Amino acid sequence: MRQMLDKLAAQESRRTLGDDALAERAARLSTAYLDGRARPDQVRWVTNQNSRWGSCTPSERTIRLSHRLQGMPEYVLDYVLLHELAHLLVPDHGSRFWALLEAYPRTERARGYLEGVAGAARLPHVPGARSAGAPEAPAEPGEVCG
Ligand SMILES: [Zn+2]
């Protein structure tokens, strides 16, 4: 029985980083690529965020990542995390923002990966099957946040 519980615990920890580990990862990324200047108060997973991979509220210094990133390659997760960290320093997506991400060597690759995932996710939807509500503006593929 004990063996089984240990095995379950190991599986659990392999499956995903907890919020604490996520915060630790954010701190490491900030140190490595942003001179440690981005210091979020809170970094956590959310399950109710389906149109964006991540979001940042600079005024509250909080970062939320979509649970859909769980299980994706680490360089993709790191890119989204770094992207949101950079928003603590530059809230928009202007040239100053992208300059901050230049230090991360896999920005383009991660963006390509996310575009692929977003594209594949749209495939099963039949054109014209949209609900009658507000027209759904398709998000820019691979856009991390709004
Ligand atoms: Zn963004």
Side-chain angles (χ1 to χ4, degrees):
M1 184 62 191
R2 186 184 160 82
Q3 228 177 358
M4 202 170 92
L5 287 177
D6 285 349
K7 212 168 148 184
L8 281 175
Q11 276 170 0
E12 191 69 25
S13 66
R14 243 201 323 273
R15 202 183 54 189
T16 175
L17 298 169
D19 286 349
D20 286 349
L22 200 57
E24 217 179 283
R25 207 173 177 90
R28 278 209 302 271
L29 286 167
S30 177
T31 302
Y33 299 109
L34 301 170
D35 300 321
R37 285 177 298 146
R39 294 201 192 87
D41 276 348
Q42 193 190 59
V43 187
R44 63 187 182 91
W45 295 109
V46 290
T47 55
N48 61 352
Q49 190 167 270
N50 289 314
S51 59
R52 293 180 298 178
W53 299 112
S55 66
C56 174
T57 309
S59 59
E60 295 168 13
R61 311 183 70 76
T62 57
I63 289 172
R64 294 175 190 81
L65 296 190
S66 167
H67 72 292
R68 293 184 308 147
L69 289 163
Q70 292 171 2
M72 288 191 190
E74 289 195 344
Y75 74 88
V76 176
L77 172 62
D78 281 354
Y79 162 68
V80 177
L81 203 43
L82 184 62
H83 181 117
E84 301 308 331
L85 284 167
H87 276 314
L88 291 175
L89 307 175
V90 180
D92 57 44
H93 289 117
S95 55
R96 276 182 63 224
F97 175 83
W98 291 111
L100 286 175
L101 289 191
E102 261 171 27
Y104 184 65
R106 296 186 184 175
T107 291
E108 281 314 310
R109 199 173 152 197
R111 281 165 64 88
Y113 183 97
L114 292 171
E115 271 174 33
V117 172
R122 267 195 294 275
L123 282 179
H125 296 291
V126 179
R130 238 170 235 171
S131 61
E136 213 180 316
E140 195 62 34
E143 199 48 60
V144 169
C145 50

